[in-house]
Amino acid sequence: MYKILIADDEGIVRDSLKYIIEKDFSDCEIYLAKSGRQAIEIAEEYSPDIALLDIQMPGINGLSALREIKAVNKKVRALILTAYDNFDYAKEAVELGATDYIMKPIDRKKIDDTFLRLMHDIEAERQKRQYDLCIREKMEAVIPIIENGFVLSLIIKNEYNYSGAQYRELLDLKEEYGFIIVLEWGEGFMSHAPGNPVGSSVRAHKFVTGISEQIRTYFKAYLSNIMGNKIVAVIPSETDNLSYEDRLRMIEKVRSLTASLKEMVSIDFKAGIGSVRTWDDAFESYQEALNALRHGVRKVTHVDDLYVRDTDDRQYADMKKALQDALMKGSDIEVRHEAEAYLSRVFENNDDLVSAKMELLEVYIDSCHLMEERGKYFKDDFGPKLIKASDAQTLRDIFIMAVQQLKQEILIQSGKQNTVISKAQEYMKKYYNKDISLEATAETVNISPYYFSKLFKEETGINFSDYLTELRINRAKELINQDPDRNIKEVSIEAGYSNPNYFSRIFKKWTGMTPTELRDSIKAEV
């Protein structure tokens, strides 16, 4: 079916053209217009394939009508009709996208030849469109297979070397970096492990399309198939690392994603996020994501926020403590002996190298907490070496070297144990009278606010806000005791409160009396 618009102010011309087209061509639907305005209205409603437009029509002429029609239907083939052999008209018609320029009186052969050519072009374009849609439909079915292959090439060690580049070419993936998110689900999480993983996996399969679509609303992501109760998402990155702010935004997005997935599937979701890597090293990002997933204390954990602590598994507790005691004593013989003992226990209880790495990383990171800069060596030196170890003996050698170096660093620090929280406390004691926040303090120790808040409460027994308030109130009490005649407003400002009225309310809440009452009681004693 070809839709044809004929626009001419002369009825005999319209009828003649209609007769020729209907006589010489089948399967045509013809619309007639006697003005430029009517031609535009018909074109907007019916989207003709071919439009014959007379230049000299009252009101809106043919060229103006063509301009309007082309604005809404760029594919229309336009033929300009005129009784004047005017080059300027022809030139303007071509510039506006006219296909041909037909002189009146109408030559039937010219009309037939032109229409045969245009219909052939239209048919070829339609077939190409059908072919493209067919290819696209097939690609829509194939792309998930390619994506899954690409993800597998990254999470299976050394597989990317064989097939990764080809997958990237098929996916038109230009970015040179990326990181991995592992999403896991279950009926609640007990001791970091999902409840009823098999049952929840079966339930999630009913929502596999929705889960994939939801992930893609948050990220440009390449997804694996559902693997039991997990799905792996590969997120391309234009840079080789995430800034602190970008990391927080990423965690927020993943938190929002897990919440939306929980609402969709009615089961709990948890996520681990690896660091940005080149595609050649993406396997490490995957391992980091798994480590963050398994050891993270929140529903969403970035590997840089990972704070691995002693578990309830008592079989390693005493040996870990013995190793750390040896590190603190600084004895080379004791450190090596305890490290060897710990290694033997690890390899006895872990059948695969990955599990052994996770256990050794756990004790190593925890031992790094003895250092002034928590986790420094895990992040910058020995941690990556441990992860990259390709066999058990290499892993043993690297671990021994790591703890011996750690022992030396502890000795250099002469026993100073300045943890993340103690560093944060020092920062708060220094800037308590400034406008400091939990977020700003967390940034100084390079931990996300979510983890910092939890760790602070666990290590100090008090939340961040109350600790800061306590610092400020204690300072205010000191100032009043030192000089009872001091202006309360000055005390308020020096203690970190710009609003004296608010300061007085908080002071009374903490001490049972207002600053003025405390000052008066001190004066009375004097």
Side-chain angles (χ1 to χ4, degrees), residues 157-168:
K157 191 164 183 65
N158 297 325
E159 184 65 24
Y160 181 82
N161 296 334
Y162 300 103
S163 57
Q166 185 178 1
Y167 281 123
R168 284 182 60 197

Side-chain angles (χ1 to χ4, degrees), residues 1 7 18 24 46-47 80-81 157 174 205 221 241-242 260 287 319 326 353 363 392 398 438 448 485 520:
M1 170 70 71
K18 184 174 183 292
D24 297 344
Y46 296 104
S47 297
I80 295 299
L81 301 172
K157 191 164 183 65
K174 306 297 185 185
H205 266 84
N241 63 71
L242 292 178
S260 65
Q287 294 297 314
M319 299 182 75
L353 197 63
V363 70
I398 290 173
L438 183 146
S448 75
D485 293 323
D520 292 344

Side-chain angles (χ1 to χ4, degrees), residues 30-269:
I30 299 175
Y31 308 94
L32 301 178
K34 59 184 178 181
S35 68
R37 182 179 63 82
Q38 192 176 24
I40 294 169
E41 291 172 349
I42 291 173
E44 289 178 347
E45 183 174 357
Y46 296 104
S47 297
D49 300 301
I50 302 172
L52 288 85
L53 305 170
D54 181 30
I55 283 182
Q56 298 298 327
M57 287 188 290
I60 300 175
N61 65 30
L63 294 180
S64 297
L66 174 58
R67 185 179 292 106
E68 295 294 327
I69 292 170
K70 276 285 188 180
V72 295
N73 182 4
K74 297 185 183 303
K75 293 183 178 181
V76 65
R77 271 73 172 177
L79 298 173
I80 295 299
L81 301 172
T82 181
Y84 306 97
D85 189 5
N86 188 307
F87 175 76
D88 290 337
Y89 279 160
K91 181 181 178 183
E92 186 176 357
V94 171
E95 289 174 349
L96 291 173
T99 304
D100 210 339
Y101 187 86
I102 299 177
M103 293 291 299
K104 294 180 182 179
I106 296 167
D107 183 336
R108 183 168 184 166
K109 186 176 186 307
K110 171 73 172 176
I111 292 294
D112 287 349
D113 290 346
T114 303
F115 265 69
L116 279 172
R117 175 168 51 83
L118 294 182
M119 289 177 177
H120 180 271
D121 290 345
I122 292 169
E123 188 61 30
E125 186 177 280
R126 288 176 177 175
Q127 289 180 4
K128 183 179 184 302
R129 175 65 173 164
Q130 289 177 349
Y131 176 78
D132 290 345
L133 288 174
C134 182
I135 293 297
R136 181 177 174 182
E137 185 177 39
K138 290 179 180 178
M139 286 301 294
E140 291 292 334
V142 170
I143 283 176
I145 299 173
I146 298 174
E147 282 193 26
N148 184 61
F150 174 58
V151 174
L152 291 178
S153 77
L154 299 178
I155 67 176
I156 298 175
K157 191 164 183 65
N158 297 325
E159 184 65 24
Y160 181 82
N161 296 334
Y162 300 103
S163 57
Q166 185 178 1
Y167 281 123
R168 284 182 60 197
E169 183 177 354
L170 290 170
L171 294 170
D172 194 28
L173 176 55
K174 306 297 185 185
E175 291 87 349
E176 297 294 333
Y177 308 96
F179 60 92
I180 288 177
I181 300 173
V182 179
L183 286 159
E184 183 179 50
W185 52 86
E187 296 176 3
F189 286 85
M190 301 297 293
S191 298
H192 311 303
N196 190 17
V198 176
S200 59
S201 174
V202 172
R203 188 189 310 176
H205 266 84
K206 301 176 184 177
F207 299 89
V208 59
T209 301
I211 290 173
S212 298
E213 290 176 351
Q214 191 71 354
I215 294 171
R216 295 184 205 280
T217 63
Y218 284 84
F219 303 101
K220 174 188 175 182
Y222 299 95
L223 305 177
S224 72
N225 295 335
I226 286 182
M227 299 184 292
N229 66 326
K230 295 183 183 67
I231 190 168
V232 178
V234 176
I235 315 297
S237 172
E238 294 182 355
T239 59
D240 61 357
N241 63 71
L242 292 178
S243 67
Y244 179 82
E245 293 76 12
D246 288 339
R247 194 173 88 214
L248 295 189
R249 282 191 288 269
M250 175 60 60
I251 293 170
E252 270 300 313
K253 286 178 71 174
V254 180
R255 282 167 57 86
S256 179
L257 170 61
T258 56
S260 65
L261 290 174
K262 179 179 180 179
E263 185 176 349
M264 176 193 298
V265 188
S266 298
I267 51 179
D268 293 308
F269 281 77

Side-chain angles (χ1 to χ4, degrees), residues 177-409:
Y177 308 96
F179 60 92
I180 288 177
I181 300 173
V182 179
L183 286 159
E184 183 179 50
W185 52 86
E187 296 176 3
F189 286 85
M190 301 297 293
S191 298
H192 311 303
N196 190 17
V198 176
S200 59
S201 174
V202 172
R203 188 189 310 176
H205 266 84
K206 301 176 184 177
F207 299 89
V208 59
T209 301
I211 290 173
S212 298
E213 290 176 351
Q214 191 71 354
I215 294 171
R216 295 184 205 280
T217 63
Y218 284 84
F219 303 101
K220 174 188 175 182
Y222 299 95
L223 305 177
S224 72
N225 295 335
I226 286 182
M227 299 184 292
N229 66 326
K230 295 183 183 67
I231 190 168
V232 178
V234 176
I235 315 297
S237 172
E238 294 182 355
T239 59
D240 61 357
N241 63 71
L242 292 178
S243 67
Y244 179 82
E245 293 76 12
D246 288 339
R247 194 173 88 214
L248 295 189
R249 282 191 288 269
M250 175 60 60
I251 293 170
E252 270 300 313
K253 286 178 71 174
V254 180
R255 282 167 57 86
S256 179
L257 170 61
T258 56
S260 65
L261 290 174
K262 179 179 180 179
E263 185 176 349
M264 176 193 298
V265 188
S266 298
I267 51 179
D268 293 308
F269 281 77
K270 190 176 181 182
I273 309 171
S275 62
V276 177
R277 302 274 186 161
T278 62
W279 299 120
D280 290 333
D281 290 332
F283 177 78
E284 313 303 339
S285 184
Y286 174 61
Q287 294 297 314
E288 291 170 344
L290 288 177
N291 195 24
L293 182 70
R294 192 57 59 229
H295 296 290
V297 296
R298 291 269 184 168
K299 289 293 181 69
V300 177
T301 306
H302 191 285
V303 66
D304 287 348
D305 290 333
L306 191 61
Y307 181 86
V308 181
R309 58 186 71 240
D310 289 343
T311 66
D312 292 331
D313 191 353
R314 296 183 180 275
Q315 61 181 321
Y316 293 105
D318 292 340
M319 299 182 75
K320 181 186 291 186
K321 186 176 185 304
L323 173 59
Q324 293 177 345
D325 287 344
L327 285 168
M328 293 302 296
K329 291 177 183 177
S331 167
D332 285 332
I333 295 175
E334 286 189 37
V335 167
R336 188 173 186 89
H337 173 77
E338 297 298 340
E340 290 283 6
Y342 196 87
L343 282 165
S344 298
R345 184 73 177 185
V346 166
F347 283 105
E348 285 175 7
N349 289 276
N350 289 283
D351 297 328
D352 63 281
L353 197 63
V354 173
S355 298
K357 288 180 182 180
M358 294 304 101
E359 292 289 350
L360 294 177
L361 280 171
E362 178 179 343
V363 70
Y364 181 73
I365 298 168
D366 196 48
S367 298
C368 283
H369 296 169
L370 302 172
M371 299 288 294
E372 180 176 348
E373 295 182 23
R374 180 186 304 215
K376 173 181 177 183
Y377 295 95
F378 162 70
K379 182 177 180 182
D380 295 338
D381 193 358
F382 291 108
K385 291 181 181 178
L386 287 170
I387 293 172
K388 292 179 180 179
S390 58
D391 56 74
Q393 187 57 51
T394 302
L395 187 59
R396 287 175 179 271
D397 293 342
I398 290 173
F399 183 75
I400 294 294
M401 184 189 304
V403 294
Q404 287 178 334
Q405 179 65 33
L406 185 58
K407 183 264 302 180
Q408 292 295 329
E409 295 295 335

